[in-house]
Amino acid sequence: MAGAPSTYRLQLTKEFGFAQAAAIVPYLKALRITHVYASPFMRARSGSTHGYDVVDHAAFNPELGGEAGFDTLSAALKTNGMGLILDFVPNHMGVHFADNMWWLDVLEWGPKSRFAKSFDIDWDLLPHRRKPGVLLPILGTSYGEALDNGDIRLEYDAEAGSFSAYYFEHRLPIAPQSYREILRAVAAAEAEDGPAGRALLSLAEAYRRTGIPDAESAVRLRSALKDLSGAGDVIRRGLAAFRPENGRTQAHSLHMLLERQHYRLSHWKLASSDINYRRFFDVNSLAGLRVEDRDTFDRVHKLVRRLIETDRIQGLRIDHIDGLHDPIGYLQRLRRLIRDAQGTSPRPFMLWIEKILAEHESLDPFKACDGTTGYEWMNLFSHVLLAPDGYEALKETWRQATSLSPAFEPVLLEAKRRVLETLLVSEFTVLTRLLGRIAAGHYSTRDYSEDSLRQALTLFVLHFPVYRTYIRGTTISRTDRIMIETTLGEAQRDWFAADDGIFTFLRDVLTLDLLLPGRTAHSPARVRRFVSKLQQFTGPLMAKSLEDTAFYRFPLLLALNEVGGNPAASPVSPADFHQRMSARAQAWPRGMTSTATHDTKRGEDARMRILSIAEIAGEWTANVERWKTLNAHLVKLADGRRCPSLVDEYMIYQALIGAWPLDGVTPSFVERLKAYVHKAVREEKLNTSWLDPNAAYEEGILAFVDGILNIAKSEAFIASLSSFARRTALLGALNSLSQLTLKATVPGVPDFYQGTELWDLSLVDPDNRRPVDFSLRTGLLQKDASISSGQWETGEIKLKWTARLLDLRARHADVFARGGYTPLAVQGRHADHVIAFTRSHKEKAVSIVTLRHFAPLMEDFTEWPDFQNIDANISIAGTRVNIARLLAGCPSAMLFHDDLSSIGNESP
């Protein structure tokens, strides 16, 4: 990948497909973007707004324009000298409905399906059932109600000669082995002495003798049905024998037929306790794939391989790497595929992984990739820009406003427990049963009951601090061993039953020590399967508990509640920041650097606005108390609960600060905020939830939002919040430009999420996936390139600064693509407000200076500052440089060195 790459993320949809993406390529080229970074564009479920519900990895999505549309985009990129990065989904596929041929084949043939090994299904776990099967939690009512109401119908496809049951849009193939039963019932219903009826009965009897052992036999049977004159009409009439509107006998007939299939239909809520296929988190319609299987890997990567061979993609972002059986092995195999596909003409090819690193967690096991998609750097930017004193003051504000402790760990622990007991019960049950079977497999451990093992394992996963370990085969790293043993120690401290060695047994299983030579003979296959499934479980548990529960329960400062973040992490000093960046330049110089993605909890500039609250914490505290008083008349009781709760009210005020429109509240803004609040309180899982909605609370809190944004009811509140919001908007804009400068100049590949070259004040998805006005941005970019703070509210200053930074990267490509990182010493009264460093390669160098903690540097918050009062300087190549002289309306500046002796200013 030549030059200093930068990526621009596009969310492709039916309304914004390949043709629309091709149309904006010249704009992105003018912005100096080097690579379009596209959301998944393989065939996905019809109407998909994100592309992650892939139903065919080997085909382009026709709703985006199909292969012809892709060729148009590819040609536009080639013409403009740009590359393409694909967001690729190897972990799961969209299932249910009637569009995934692999899944339909599995439903039809069960474990004998040629695609059965592609899905992670525990066939023998369905209770009260002799036949192996997969649970299908697709019903909106109980199974019995759906059956009696006629919502499940048996249908015949005359063109295919096949039978399927249907539940609204869901197709449920009937196993060919059951056709004889259907044909006999149809023939009986249509009077067996009719020619067509007798022919159907004869066909049924023929297959009673020969059977239908395989797909080839099924093809012959279907062909015979299609060719049978008059059979279609007879069958359709005869299927009344399975229609419940004709009486309970018929409903029972359909039930008995369904019971003999390779699946069991159920209410969707049973998924939380009884599901027996691996899902993407708790999404029933996304089934996990086993890409560790060679055939599955080859099928899933067929189109990707073709695109690499023809040089039509230049990089991949691998979605949800931690969901795979063996992430490290997968990346190694993928690198081999890339190498083989490129053949004798290898070209630069970037490979990033969506991997969330916990604090102090290393990416070292993933040497086969170029780095993560950058959540850790996004959070690092927030923490280095966070005002430490104000953050400490906000902890006391939180305590006063909510009557809760500012400690986050208990919140996360309780969130994990809630998720474990509700959303992921099924997956955890599979694990505990497997652990019980391991214990029962030898006389020395069979007295550990499944209940005791479940309790011990519960404590382990509750205290587990990262997303997963990476144990492969019989190999465990020292890091993973220490983490497991430390976690078990914490779990054991919470254990109140008799300690009869159960944690020693659990340690030996988790570390594979149980399989060492000379140990008792437990089943190696079961032990390895348990460890593998546990590694695939802890990631979803952490994600659902941390990002989708605890973050919503703990809005002490919402700017810190971001994907991959830790709301309790301390602010970062410039010295610590430099240390992290120096290490990154050495180890992961090509990792992605993101400040907004399709998954972030709020827009990058909304985050900076909220972050600035810590710079004027005293004003925030006073305002919150006033707002609570002004809005007290809108607080109601819902089922005996305060509505909104104190926590939710505090969260709403911060959300308003982040997204507040400076040109006034509009009906669309009110609806956007209500959608955000509705999602937030359900994710919080305290007063309502997705599984068990509390209508009274939800109606009450949405009425509260309506009320506080109604000028007739809340004029004083709106005036007060608007005044404070303008101050945080100005501070936030300054923080945003500093964040932007860091993203574009530190080691790594900066990524720009669609539309964020203007102020990004979006809320959580789907709000952050709204259409982007590219004509507006194109027009602004084509205007005078000079940067002015006069109309900072429009975001034009951010667009122009983005273009300036990307142009700098292009003109000093080697410095930013290959250069080292050297911190610059800062002196003066305002030294702590400055982050300064040099990027250098050979004789070339660029020095970067940016400010932070702006409130103490400003006399008021109504006008954009000129930064001439900054008392700080840096030394470059032996020359002392006064920082105030560098800054001209922008809180950042760049200086370039041609030979490390002459200095040129790249400030606005």
Side-chain angles (χ1 to χ4, degrees), residues 97-118:
F97 302 94
D99 51 8
N100 186 327
M101 295 302 105
W102 291 18
W103 186 253
L104 293 173
D105 195 80
V106 168
L107 298 186
E108 185 172 12
W109 290 98
K112 293 183 178 180
S113 166
R114 58 186 174 137
F115 299 111
K117 61 184 179 180
S118 296

Side-chain angles (χ1 to χ4, degrees), residues 169-381:
E169 66 270 44
H170 298 280
R171 180 185 160 214
L172 309 161
I174 299 298
Q177 293 84 352
S178 297
Y179 281 22
R180 174 176 171 269
E181 172 187 347
I182 298 172
L183 295 176
R184 285 180 60 84
V186 165
E190 285 296 302
E192 294 178 7
D193 56 345
R198 287 195 298 273
L200 289 173
L201 189 59
S202 176
L203 189 61
E205 289 305 309
Y207 275 88
R208 180 183 69 82
R209 294 188 298 273
T210 60
I212 308 175
D214 51 36
E216 186 177 340
S217 301
V219 169
R220 289 196 297 270
L221 171 57
R222 287 171 178 152
S223 179
L225 280 172
K226 287 191 295 182
D227 295 341
L228 195 59
S229 178
D233 292 336
V234 172
I235 291 173
R236 290 192 187 94
R237 291 195 302 270
L239 288 181
F242 295 92
R243 289 183 185 142
E245 59 261 34
N246 292 299
R248 283 194 171 271
T249 301
Q250 286 76 8
H252 184 264
S253 297
L254 179 56
H255 164 64
M256 295 306 296
L257 175 67
L258 292 173
E259 283 292 280
R260 285 187 278 275
Q261 304 312 305
H262 299 289
Y263 48 81
R264 175 191 162 194
L265 301 179
S266 76
H267 191 285
W268 65 269
K269 288 188 176 181
L270 262 68
S272 63
S273 58
D274 290 356
I275 206 163
N276 63 329
Y277 60 90
R278 182 171 62 85
R279 303 170 287 176
F280 171 72
F281 293 175
D282 61 335
V283 184
N284 299 336
S285 58
L286 296 177
L289 287 171
R290 296 183 62 251
V291 288
E292 64 271 19
D293 172 72
R294 168 60 75 175
D295 289 342
T296 302
F297 179 93
D298 290 343
R299 291 188 184 112
V300 165
H301 294 83
K302 181 179 179 181
L303 179 55
V304 162
R305 185 185 186 100
R306 179 158 65 95
L307 294 177
I308 296 172
E309 287 172 343
T310 54
D311 194 27
R312 291 191 287 172
I313 59 172
Q314 288 71 42
L316 291 170
R317 178 263 198 189
I318 304 302
D319 180 63
H320 192 46
I321 190 78
D322 277 346
L324 303 181
H325 166 76
D326 179 10
I328 297 169
Y330 168 80
L331 286 178
Q332 292 171 347
R333 180 179 288 181
L334 184 58
R335 275 296 187 192
R336 288 195 295 270
L337 180 150
I338 295 166
R339 183 190 63 225
D340 294 346
Q342 291 187 330
T344 57
S345 302
R347 301 169 294 277
F349 195 93
M350 300 295 284
L351 183 58
W352 293 295
I353 58 174
E354 187 212 19
K355 162 66 185 168
I356 294 175
L357 290 169
E359 208 170 0
H360 309 303
E361 185 181 6
S362 170
L363 193 64
D364 287 346
F366 293 94
K367 294 298 185 183
C369 77
D370 290 294
T372 71
T373 50
Y375 290 124
E376 65 270 35
W377 311 120
M378 172 177 64
N379 287 287
L380 181 63
F381 294 157

Side-chain angles (χ1 to χ4, degrees), residues 15 33 52 62 102 109 175 185 212 222 227 247 392 428 480 493 502 508 552 554 607 625 731 778 789 792 798:
E15 293 72 30
I33 294 290
Y52 289 97
W102 291 18
W109 290 98
I212 308 175
R222 287 171 178 152
D227 295 341
E392 288 301 312
F428 196 62
D480 283 345
R493 282 193 289 272
I502 197 168
D508 289 347
Y552 292 95
F554 190 78
R607 189 186 315 125
E625 287 304 310
L731 288 170
T778 301
S789 59
W792 66 267
K798 185 185 181 188

Side-chain angles (χ1 to χ4, degrees), residues 58-187:
F60 289 97
N61 192 335
E63 293 191 343
L64 304 181
E67 184 156 8
F70 177 79
D71 289 342
T72 299
L73 172 59
S74 183
L77 291 170
K78 293 289 186 185
T79 298
N80 286 274
M82 296 173 64
L84 180 63
I85 309 298
L86 168 64
D87 189 348
F88 186 66
V89 190
N91 175 69
H92 55 265
M93 292 183 80
V95 296
H96 305 327
F97 302 94
D99 51 8
N100 186 327
M101 295 302 105
W102 291 18
W103 186 253
L104 293 173
D105 195 80
V106 168
L107 298 186
E108 185 172 12
W109 290 98
K112 293 183 178 180
S113 166
R114 58 186 174 137
F115 299 111
K117 61 184 179 180
S118 296
F119 296 99
D120 202 350
I121 301 172
D122 290 288
W123 287 100
D124 297 322
L125 286 186
L126 286 186
H128 317 299
R129 185 182 175 94
R130 295 180 181 177
K131 191 183 188 75
V134 58
L135 187 79
L136 299 184
I138 61 175
L139 305 179
T141 63
S142 70
Y143 171 68
E145 188 176 347
L147 203 63
D148 289 338
N149 289 344
D151 294 335
I152 307 170
R153 300 178 66 85
L154 184 62
E155 303 287 352
Y156 174 65
D157 182 344
E159 292 185 6
S162 65
F163 292 96
S164 296
Y166 283 86
Y167 178 73
F168 297 99
E169 66 270 44
H170 298 280
R171 180 185 160 214
L172 309 161
I174 299 298
Q177 293 84 352
S178 297
Y179 281 22
R180 174 176 171 269
E181 172 187 347
I182 298 172
L183 295 176
R184 285 180 60 84
V186 165

